[in-house]
Amino acid sequence: MGPGAVVFLSAAAGLAAWALLALLERITAHARVTWAAAAPAAFLLSYVPLRGSKKRRTRLGLLHVLVAAVLIPILWRTASADANSHR
C-alpha cells in the first residue's frame, strides 16, 4: 500500500467519523457519549480485514492505531458537550 492510499483512506475514515458525529449531534442530546462509544468500536472492527504476512499486518495495524490516536481526540474535542444543543 502506497502513501497515496494511506492518506486517502485515512482522510476517508476521518470524514466518516466526522459525518457520524455531525449526524449524532443533530439527532441526540448525547452525541458526544454515543460517538465516544462508537469510535473505539469502529477502530477495533477496522482490524477485521487485515490480512497478509505478519509484517504487513503489523504495519497496517500500526497505521490504524496512528489514525485513531489522531482522529478520536480531535473529534472528541470538537464535539458539542452541551446536552441542551439537541434540536
Side-chain angles (χ1 to χ4, degrees):
M1 181 181 299
V6 170
V7 170
F8 175 78
L9 293 171
S10 298
L15 288 173
W18 178 61
L20 175 62
L21 179 57
L23 175 67
L24 289 170
E25 286 178 335
R26 289 186 159 267
I27 64 173
T28 181
H30 306 288
R32 193 175 194 188
V33 173
T34 304
W35 187 86
F43 166 67
L44 292 173
L45 285 173
S46 75
Y47 279 92
V48 172
L50 294 183
R51 290 190 174 86
S53 67
K54 184 177 180 179
K55 185 177 180 179
R56 183 172 187 266
R57 287 191 317 265
T58 301
R59 285 181 181 171
L60 287 173
L62 290 173
L63 284 172
H64 285 226
V65 169
L66 177 63
V67 171
V70 171
L71 287 179
I72 292 173
I74 288 173
L75 290 172
W76 169 261
R77 281 191 290 270
T78 65
S80 174
D82 184 10
N84 296 325
S85 67
H86 177 64
R87 294 178 190 161

